[in-house]
Amino acid sequence: MSRLLAAASLLAAGASAAQAQTTRSVLDTGIPFDLPQTDRVTVLQRPHPEIDALGVHAGAFLVFPQIELAANATNNVFGATTDTDSDAFATVAPRIDARSDWSRHQLSAHARGTFRRYLDYSIKNENGYDIGVESRLDIFGESNVRAAVNADRIYITQLSGDFPRFAAASVPLDRQVASLRGTAAFNRLQLIGDVNVTRLDYSDTRALDGTLIDQDYLDRTATRLTARAEYNISPVTSLFVQGIYTLHDYKVVNFDFDRSGDELRVIGGAAFDLTPLIRTRLGVGYLTRHYDTTGVGNLSGLALDAQVDYLITELTTISLTARRDVRDAIIVGSPGYVATRLTAEVDHELLRNLILIGRADMEKDDFSRIDRNDTLFHVGASALYTLNRSMVLTPSIDYSNRDSSGAQIGQRFNEVRAGLSLTLRR
């Protein structure tokens, strides 16, 4: 509690630091999968017009400004196996979202920042941002063309399989993304094509002993082509098949070996209502990652993308997700690893303006070419308490554990975090 109060005093003093953390793949998963639209929605999807933010009209646009102020504490700021250090940190996260309210076509933009300052260990301070513009041109019916550009800075954290061993600070990663997507709808058949170019620029970080950890060998450009076909059998059932081809072009080719190459992921499946209360999306297929360097074997195997939403009542939802994919490694000597992630979440609307959230997720990372396997586990609880249209209070507590085994083990630790945030919005 004393450290939470100290973090709150930092907020009062006006200190700021950016933060946009990730424990997942630095490349998004392509075209989003959406379950068929019905009148049944999850707790977090259901609108609350009596307490939702109204936004501000600015000509033909609706603008949503907000700022989040948070105070947090951690019992293991560096993710150490032994001799842990605690700390408190304050977060200031302003954002503004704008979208057109035209009857056809759409233009939207956003600008966000998350600024984080630590009380004792400034090496952990983070400065993140996220800015982007997206447009949609409606052609006929549900057919359209979308174009988007985005630039952001995220941080690879100690909870990620991509985190370098014994690093003190998170790894800053600057991303620039440009995408073009077209959708052609023919009665029950929908065809979608997407071209995405992502540039990844990693910054060096510091080890616990103060030495520099080079991350430039991970800088690359990923060019991804995605195609998907969907066929709607009924309003609540659809079949799909999707293929994603990604070309990875690394800038540095002489660090330990060139990680350039290509990747193919093909899955097929269905989105359907298992029962009137259980909504399901299941995709299964094959994935392979090929490296141009001679002697570096391919990574291949089962591809999985699944989601189940159990709408127990209008006030309670249980969601389960599973995903298996290939990621490039940040570890010297390993080109990549296969990541299998399982997530479970329970959302309960205790009051009209109070939603309780419980979440647990586990990820297993199997590294190629080195003897190492990581297991990442997280469990947490939070609440969304909407005081009125302009204020939302969110307390949270989280426990995370990272285990590693093998001859080249990674960092092993556990951490408890607690926090309280206040969101002011219009």
Side-chain angles (χ1 to χ4, degrees):
M1 180 60 68
S2 63
R3 288 195 170 274
L4 284 173
L5 293 175
S9 68
L10 288 179
L11 289 173
S16 63
Q19 124 75 17
Q21 297 193 352
T22 184
T23 59
R24 306 199 180 175
S25 175
V26 297
L27 296 174
D28 64 39
T29 58
I31 302 170
F33 282 99
D34 295 320
L35 293 172
Q37 296 294 320
T38 70
D39 57 353
R40 297 187 298 277
V41 295
T42 66
V43 169
L44 295 180
Q45 291 172 338
R46 182 165 55 252
H48 293 281
E50 74 282 3
I51 55 176
D52 287 341
L54 297 176
V56 179
H57 283 279
F61 289 84
L62 192 58
V63 181
F64 294 88
Q66 76 170 47
I67 185 169
E68 178 184 346
L69 309 174
N72 299 267
T74 171
N75 74 331
N76 192 354
V77 64
F78 294 117
T81 305
T82 59
D83 299 325
T84 61
D85 294 302
S86 61
D87 203 358
F89 57 92
T91 302
V92 178
R95 64 179 290 174
I96 185 168
D97 296 86
R99 67 171 184 266
S100 62
D101 59 359
W102 308 329
S103 59
R104 283 177 55 81
H105 316 303
Q106 189 176 71
L107 180 64
S108 61
H110 66 265
R112 305 163 189 166
T114 313
F115 304 95
R116 171 170 290 182
R117 287 294 181 268
Y118 280 76
L119 183 65
D120 294 330
Y121 300 102
S122 60
I123 193 174
K124 296 289 292 185
N125 292 347
E126 298 176 3
N127 296 295
Y129 62 87
D130 182 357
I131 56 175
V133 177
E134 180 177 353
S135 62
R136 188 193 73 230
L137 177 64
D138 296 326
I139 301 175
F140 61 88
E142 298 296 321
S143 300
N144 58 70
V145 175
R146 298 173 181 264
V149 292
N150 200 88
D152 65 3
R153 173 176 294 166
I154 63 175
Y155 287 84
I156 309 297
T157 73
Q158 59 204 34
L159 297 175
S160 172
D162 295 342
F163 193 68
R165 191 180 184 191
F166 300 132
S170 300
V171 180
L173 170 58
D174 291 321
R175 298 187 299 186
Q176 296 87 41
V177 182
S179 65
L180 180 65
R181 179 180 306 164
T183 300
F186 309 96
N187 196 7
R188 295 187 176 187
L189 177 64
Q190 187 170 247
L191 303 176
I192 307 174
D194 181 270
V195 180
N196 179 291
V197 179
T198 301
R199 181 178 178 272
L200 303 175
D201 185 6
Y202 288 76
S203 297
D204 297 339
T205 189
R206 292 284 177 181
L208 292 171
D209 62 5
T211 59
L212 193 67
I213 301 178
D214 181 26
Q215 299 293 282
D216 291 336
Y217 71 98
L218 290 166
D219 294 350
R220 65 190 184 273
T221 299
T223 303
R224 186 184 63 220
L225 306 176
T226 305
R228 185 162 87 219
E230 298 179 2
Y231 184 76
N232 296 320
I233 298 176
S234 72
V236 296
T237 304
S238 65
L239 303 177
F240 66 85
V241 60
Q242 174 174 283
I244 303 177
Y245 175 78
T246 307
L247 182 65
H248 300 269
D249 181 18
Y250 278 77
K251 293 182 180 179
V252 178
V253 299
N254 58 353
F255 188 78
D256 52 355
F257 50 81
D258 185 7
R259 287 167 167 76
S260 298
D262 55 12
E263 178 183 339
L264 179 64
R265 176 184 173 94
V266 179
I267 64 172
F272 55 94
D273 282 10
L274 191 63
T275 72
L277 299 179
I278 301 178
R279 310 187 64 195
T280 306
R281 182 195 75 232
L282 177 62
V284 180
Y286 177 78
L287 58 86
T288 179
R289 173 72 162 92
H290 167 75
Y291 298 92
D292 292 343
T293 300
T294 303
V296 178
N298 297 345
L299 286 172
S300 60
L302 174 72
L304 177 65
D305 198 324
Q307 174 182 338
V308 178
D309 290 334
Y310 181 18
L311 286 64
I312 301 176
T313 69
E314 290 187 354
L315 302 179
T316 305
T317 302
I318 297 177
S319 298
L320 305 174
T321 62
R323 182 173 175 84
R324 190 173 191 268
D325 56 12
V326 171
R327 304 179 190 174
D328 284 2
I330 205 168
I331 311 299
V332 175
S334 176
Y337 61 96
V338 176
T340 304
R341 187 180 186 92
L342 303 175
T343 301
E345 182 172 317
V346 179
D347 306 317
H348 177 67
E349 188 175 307
L350 185 64
L351 301 172
R352 190 70 173 171
N353 63 337
L354 176 60
I355 297 177
L356 306 180
I357 302 171
R359 179 185 177 93
D361 51 79
M362 183 177 70
E363 177 177 312
K364 296 188 71 68
D365 299 334
D366 183 7
F367 287 82
S368 173
R369 295 193 78 213
I370 63 173
D371 182 15
R372 174 174 166 180
N373 291 277
D374 289 359
T375 300
L376 313 173
F377 174 75
H378 163 264
V379 61
S382 61
L384 296 175
Y385 182 31
T386 305
L387 302 175
N388 52 51
R389 292 187 188 274
S390 301
M391 293 189 293
V392 180
L393 196 64
T394 306
S396 64
I397 185 168
D398 297 89
Y399 169 79
S400 301
N401 179 275
R402 174 173 172 169
D403 192 20
S404 186
S405 61
Q408 296 171 266
I409 64 172
Q411 218 162 323
R412 295 185 292 183
F413 67 91
N414 57 70
E415 178 191 16
V416 176
R417 288 193 180 192
L420 181 65
S421 72
L422 174 66
T423 300
L424 306 176
R425 63 188 188 182
R426 284 293 303 274

